[in-house]
Amino acid sequence: MSRAGSTLTGHANRDAPTPTHAAVVHASGQPLSVEELQLRPVGRGELGVEIRAVGVCHSDLHLVAGDWPVDEILVGGHEASGVVVDVGDGVEDVNVGDHVVLSWFVACRRCQNCLSGRAWLCTNTNAVANRLPDGSTATTTADGDPVWPFLGLGAFSERVVIPSTAAVVVPDELPFEIGALIGCSVTTGIGAVTQTAKVPYGASAVVFGCGGIGQSIILGLQLAGAEPIIAIDLDRDRLEQADRLGATVLLDGAEPDLVDVVRELTSGGADYVFEAIGKPSTIEQCPPMLRAGGVAVLAGMTAIGARASIDPFDLADQGKSILGCNYGSSVPAVDFPRIARLYLTGRLPLDALIGRTRPLVEVNDALADLSAAAGLRTVLIP
């Protein structure tokens, strides 16, 4: 597969569309199809970005598996990094040649949540509707039919057109594979600890699920100085990875008395329990694992319409809390560079999170591995 537009272009050739190969979702439950699409030129306030690496995230699996219904043709992918190859009019803080990490949640900066410093809860974003901010898409078929960008990015592609606010400039020395993970799983996991829960030094913590987000939660707990850090998973390889990342206790998720074991290990219950799977059966086990006054943080995304049973008397009587975690309560323009610096100075061993790289044409194989909970994070190289 050839790369589309691998030369930095600036303002050149603004009137011609650019061909790009992309992995397309035609319907729920069907494999992705890698096709040649057309990408219109950048408009005002937009950037053209050549994608250099894109992670395969559980949200992409939800999309393809039908957990999140699809009723239109989409380009998948949202966890990405790349190089700016074109800059639209009105963009003054990003230049051609800049290395960027993409943010899949472009906030409006005007709603009450944005103005109160909680941009991750923006009520006016079009990203979650798979649209650019103006409600359009930059991608079409050869016949001119619209193909919509998943979470406003559609990053399973050689090249994208995105709003400039979706691109965060990072140091050139940051590897593209690491930048891709910072764009979603790493920021979500570390932010769940440091920003959503604000875990204090010495607190006890449980991590339910040791995939990409769970591993990042463990790294965040290491930064916060949590002790002990109890990792739970069904997969032995992922538990061994959790051990390498700093988990102090490893538990098999198939243990029949899991709640009792956790309560015994933490002298009556953990201070924090992080659910990083998005599965009702594991969510239901989180509150019983908590001590009085403890906090459960839901960082994994469930299928739409999923329901979990919670004992409300236990929550009220024991003063327990359940917090939802969206994107690690992050502000990408602040948090992406901060995490990049921690990696570059050796504080965050993010290389350990990457299992393998694959070309874009192997996207369905990567999703199959993710569905089987096999191995570490796969990064696609378009």
Side-chain angles (χ1 to χ4, degrees):
M1 182 187 299
S2 62
R3 292 187 67 84
S6 60
T7 303
L8 305 184
T9 59
H11 292 274
N13 203 24
R14 273 288 174 81
D15 296 328
T18 301
T20 182
H21 290 92
V24 180
V25 182
H26 284 276
S28 298
Q30 293 185 3
L32 290 162
S33 173
V34 178
E35 305 170 10
E36 183 175 293
L37 303 175
Q38 298 297 311
L39 196 64
R40 65 159 172 76
V42 297
R44 184 173 182 81
E46 293 181 333
L47 301 172
V49 176
E50 186 179 85
I51 300 297
R52 295 295 182 85
V54 54
V56 180
C57 179
H58 214 94
S59 294
D60 302 306
L61 182 60
H62 278 311
L63 185 72
V64 175
D67 297 333
W68 298 352
V70 175
D71 57 7
E72 56 193 4
I73 302 175
L74 301 173
V75 176
H78 65 285
E79 185 179 72
S81 66
V83 178
V84 176
V85 294
D86 203 359
V87 177
D89 294 335
V91 179
E92 299 179 351
D93 56 349
V94 184
N95 299 302
V96 168
D98 281 346
H99 290 202
V100 292
V101 173
L102 307 191
S103 168
W104 58 262
F105 195 85
V106 176
C108 74
R109 302 183 179 183
R110 295 184 180 88
C111 70
Q112 183 176 351
N113 283 330
C114 285
L115 294 175
S116 63
R118 300 187 298 171
W120 61 91
L121 296 178
C122 175
T123 56
N124 292 331
T125 182
N126 266 328
V128 292
N130 307 316
R131 301 289 191 272
L132 295 176
D134 65 358
S136 72
T137 178
T139 311
T140 62
T141 65
D143 296 329
D145 296 325
V147 183
W148 302 97
F150 181 47
L151 294 176
L153 296 180
F156 283 163
S157 181
E158 294 170 322
R159 187 164 169 166
V160 296
V161 168
I162 59 172
S164 63
T165 50
V168 179
V169 177
V170 293
D172 287 358
E173 59 266 34
L174 183 75
F176 289 111
E177 293 87 349
I178 299 301
L181 300 193
I182 290 174
C184 183
S185 59
V186 167
T187 296
T188 298
I190 292 176
V193 175
T194 62
Q195 297 179 160
T196 306
K198 296 181 172 61
V199 174
Y201 184 82
S204 57
V206 176
V207 182
F208 228 134
C210 298
I213 291 177
Q215 291 166 25
S216 298
I217 290 172
I218 291 169
L219 289 177
L221 291 167
Q222 278 282 92
L223 285 174
E227 171 62 34
I229 301 172
I230 301 171
I232 302 173
D233 204 283
L234 293 170
D235 184 74
R236 174 50 54 179
D237 290 340
R238 288 187 170 181
L239 286 175
E240 290 176 356
Q241 169 75 343
D243 182 45
R244 290 190 291 269
L245 295 175
T248 54
V249 180
L250 308 178
L251 295 179
D252 187 336
E255 163 65 49
D257 300 315
L258 201 55
V259 171
D260 291 337
V261 171
V262 168
R263 292 182 64 85
E264 182 177 352
L265 288 168
T266 55
S267 301
D271 295 304
Y272 295 89
V273 177
F274 295 84
E275 203 279 349
I277 304 172
K279 190 175 180 181
S281 61
T282 52
I283 291 171
E284 290 174 349
Q285 294 179 75
C286 292
M289 290 182 177
L290 294 170
R291 66 164 178 82
V295 178
V297 180
L298 307 187
M301 300 298 288
T302 68
I304 292 175
R307 296 290 184 269
S309 178
I310 302 297
D311 181 353
F313 180 85
D314 177 56
L315 291 182
D317 182 63
Q318 296 296 303
K320 299 176 182 180
S321 302
I322 300 176
L323 299 178
C325 173
N326 183 10
Y327 215 169
S329 306
S330 69
V331 179
V334 174
D335 294 303
F336 287 4
R338 179 181 294 163
I339 293 171
R341 288 195 300 272
L342 288 170
Y343 166 78
L344 291 170
T345 57
R347 295 285 306 282
L348 277 175
L350 300 181
D351 293 296
L353 303 185
I354 299 174
R356 65 182 299 184
T357 59
R358 290 180 179 266
L360 182 63
V361 292
E362 295 181 7
V363 59
N364 289 308
D365 295 323
L367 287 167
D369 288 344
L370 184 61
S371 179
L376 306 179
R377 199 70 153 196
T378 297
V379 177
L380 302 175
I381 308 297

